[in-house]
Amino acid sequence: MRRRSPSRLVIDPVTAVLSSSSSDEARAILRTSLFKLTKEPGITTYLIAELPYGQEMIGFGFEEFLADVLIKLRVESKRGLTKRKLIVFKAREVPLPIHEFEYVIGRD
């Protein structure tokens, strides 16, 4: 029997996992349990979180500092035109100007 090692872990939404914890407990869960278990074997971890309408902070606020990459997706509607926008806010150890990119979800 051949054993497979995962290369990716997706938690969607991470807020559901952390919502029943205090800020300190949530930080410990992410830092010790999740990141230490996935960094060494080289597992890429995606934490999906929703940004509540009208808010600037995700969850407890420290999640953004623990992440290596922070991408924000949003939908913009103006004058009956709807556009999807992507902004890469952070990419650790990479100089990164903040640019907004329009993207399309299509068949291919």
Side-chain angles (χ1 to χ4, degrees), residues 21-85:
S21 307
S22 71
S23 178
D24 290 337
E25 291 170 334
R27 187 186 315 258
I29 289 168
L30 288 179
R31 184 177 287 149
T32 59
S33 303
L34 187 61
F35 289 141
K36 285 185 179 179
L37 291 173
T38 58
K39 285 279 187 188
E40 188 178 316
I43 298 170
T44 301
T45 305
Y46 297 91
L47 303 177
I48 313 296
E50 291 185 17
L51 183 63
Y53 184 76
Q55 298 216 5
E56 295 294 321
M57 187 175 71
I58 298 169
F60 293 106
F62 61 79
E63 296 89 341
E64 298 174 13
F65 297 103
L66 294 175
D68 290 331
V69 177
L70 183 60
I71 299 170
K72 182 178 180 181
L73 304 175
R74 66 184 179 90
V75 177
E76 181 181 277
S77 293
K78 288 184 182 175
R79 299 185 193 126
L81 252 154
T82 302
K83 296 181 180 181
R84 291 183 176 96
K85 303 283 181 122

Side-chain angles (χ1 to χ4, degrees), residues 89-101:
F89 278 99
K90 173 184 173 183
R92 196 179 306 277
E93 299 179 17
V94 177
L96 183 72
I98 296 180
H99 291 292
E100 189 172 80
F101 301 94

